[in-house]
Amino acid sequence: MKNKSKKFIVPAITAAVMVLVVILAQLDILNNYYQTILMTICINVIMSSSLNVVNGYMGEFSCGHGGFMAVGAYVSSVLSLVLFCPGNSITGKALLPPESAMFLFPVVILLGGAASMVVSLLVAIPSFKTRDDYLAIVTIATNFIITTSLNNIGIVGESRGLMGMKSTLSRMSGVIDLPWILIWGMLFAALTVYAIHRLMKSTLGQGISAVRYDEISAEIMSVNTNKMKLIAFTFSSGLAGVAGGLFAHMLGFINPSSFGIMKSTESLVMVYLGGMGSLSGSVLSAFIFTILLELLRPAQIFKWVIIPLMLILIMQFRPEGIMGPRELPQVFPKLRKLFPVNSDMVRKNQTGGEA
C-alpha cells in the first residue's frame, strides 16, 4: 500500500502546481507576459523531450524537428478555424458550434500531431534503410520541403501566414473564463513527459535504447531495429506536431518562416544542453533555454548568432550536457523514493551499454 501511494505523489504535486498557476493567472499576479513565458516553456519541454527520444535514447541524429512542428501547427490551425471560427478565411463559417471548442480543442491538437506522424512516416521508411548520418541530411531536407511547400499553398496564406486562431481561445473563455491555452499547454507538457517516461521504461523502450548502444548486436538478439526506429521517430514527430498546434494557438498567427531551420536548431540546443538520453535534462534545458532567449530579446537578430554558437560550444566543451545520461534521482538519491530508477539502466547509461 505504501508503494502504491508513492505513485500518486508526483501527479498530485504536478496537479497542485498547475492549479496554483491557474489561480495566479486568474488573480492577474501572472499577467499575459508571464503566462506567455510559461506557455513557451511548456512547448519547449515537449519539443526538447520528444527530440531526445530520437537523438538521445535511440542515438540517431534528426535535425528537422521544426518541419514536423510546422505540420502540426498548420493542420491544427486549419481545423480550429474551420470548426470553431465563424468568418474564417478558409470556409467563411464554422462547421461546429463555436462553444464546442472548449471540449474539442485537445482533439484538434492531437489531430495535428497525427498529421505530423504520417509525414514523418513517409520520411522514416526510406531513411532508416540507411545508416550513420543520412537521417540528419534527410530531415534537414524535409524541413526545407515542408516550409517551402507551405510558402506556396494559397489556402493557408502562403508566405503571408495564417491567423485567427485566437478566436478559438476566445470562444473557450466565453464559456468559462480561464487561461485555456496555458492550461492545455501545461497538461500536454506533463502528459508528454509521462508518456516518454513510460515508453522508455517499457520493453519497447529497451528495444529503442538497444539501437543506440549497438544496432548490430540488437539485431542479433532479435530486436527489430527498423521497427524500433520507426516507432521512436514517428512518436517523436507526433509530439512535435502537438507542440506546433499549441504554438500556433498561443501566438494566434503563424507563417512558414516560424518553423525554419532555426526552430530545429533550438530543439537541438535544448537536447544537447540538457543531456542526451536524460528526460530530466530535457525539462531543465527547456526552462533554461526559454529564459535565456527572453533575456536575449534586446539583442534582436544577434540572438540567432548566439543560439547556433551555443550548440557549437556545448558540443565542444560539454558534449554530455548538464545532466549527461542521468536522471534527477541519480543526481539526488533522496528523490529515488519518488522516482524509482532501474539500476540496470543506470549502469548501461553510465557505461555506454556495456553492463
Side-chain angles (χ1 to χ4, degrees), residues 103-240:
F103 308 103
L104 296 179
F105 178 76
V107 177
V108 166
I109 297 297
L110 290 173
L111 287 173
S116 295
M117 292 181 75
V118 172
V119 173
S120 71
L121 191 62
L122 298 177
V123 175
I125 290 174
S127 299
F128 288 136
K129 292 180 180 178
T130 62
R131 293 182 185 271
D132 301 323
D133 298 328
Y134 289 99
L135 180 63
I137 298 169
V138 171
T139 49
I140 290 174
T142 301
N143 201 153
F144 280 106
I145 290 169
I146 290 171
T147 53
T148 303
S149 299
L150 291 170
N151 266 317
N152 292 280
I153 299 177
I155 197 170
V156 294
E158 298 177 325
S159 59
R160 298 187 305 277
L162 190 64
M163 64 177 64
M165 290 75 79
K166 287 281 188 181
S167 298
T168 299
L169 303 181
S170 299
R171 304 295 176 180
M172 295 163 68
S173 298
V175 179
I176 301 177
D177 187 18
L178 289 172
W180 284 107
I181 189 62
L182 181 58
I183 292 172
W184 285 117
M186 290 189 295
L187 282 172
F188 274 112
L191 289 173
T192 295
V193 172
Y194 177 75
I196 294 173
H197 172 70
R198 295 297 300 172
L199 171 66
M200 298 316 301
K201 284 186 67 177
S202 68
T203 304
L204 187 61
Q206 302 302 306
I208 292 171
S209 296
V211 175
R212 171 189 177 185
Y213 297 131
D214 193 326
E215 185 174 347
I216 295 175
S217 297
E219 290 175 349
I220 293 172
M221 296 300 292
S222 301
V223 175
N224 188 335
T225 56
N226 281 335
K227 179 181 177 182
M228 296 299 108
K229 289 179 179 181
L230 286 173
I231 291 172
F233 189 71
T234 53
F235 177 66
S236 171
S237 302
L239 291 175

Side-chain angles (χ1 to χ4, degrees), residues 9 60 200 286:
I9 294 177
E60 296 288 339
M200 298 316 301

Side-chain angles (χ1 to χ4, degrees), residues 5-6 11 85 209 342:
S5 63
K6 287 181 180 179
C85 301
S209 296
N342 186 313

Side-chain angles (χ1 to χ4, degrees), residues 47 51 62-69 139-140 143 258-270 311:
M47 288 294 287
L51 184 58
S62 173
C63 300
H65 225 44
F68 302 116
M69 187 182 185
T139 49
I140 290 174
N143 201 153
S258 303
F259 307 100
I261 196 65
M262 286 309 303
K263 180 60 71 174
S264 297
T265 304
E266 288 181 19
S267 302
L268 287 169
V269 170
M270 287 187 285
L311 182 58

Side-chain angles (χ1 to χ4, degrees), residues 265-266 268-276 285 289 292 306-322:
T265 304
E266 288 181 19
L268 287 169
V269 170
M270 287 187 285
V271 169
Y272 290 100
L273 175 64
M276 298 277 282
S285 65
F289 185 75
L292 182 61
I306 297 171
I307 291 171
L309 181 61
M310 279 180 59
L311 182 58
I312 295 171
L313 293 175
I314 290 168
M315 297 295 288
Q316 184 69 32
F317 298 106
R318 182 77 180 179
E320 70 274 20
I322 295 172

Side-chain angles (χ1 to χ4, degrees), residues 63-97:
C63 300
H65 225 44
F68 302 116
M69 187 182 185
V71 174
Y74 272 87
V75 170
S76 61
S77 295
V78 168
L79 289 173
S80 180
L81 292 172
V82 169
L83 294 177
F84 311 125
C85 301
N88 66 77
S89 59
I90 299 173
T91 60
K93 60 180 180 179
L95 300 182
L96 295 175

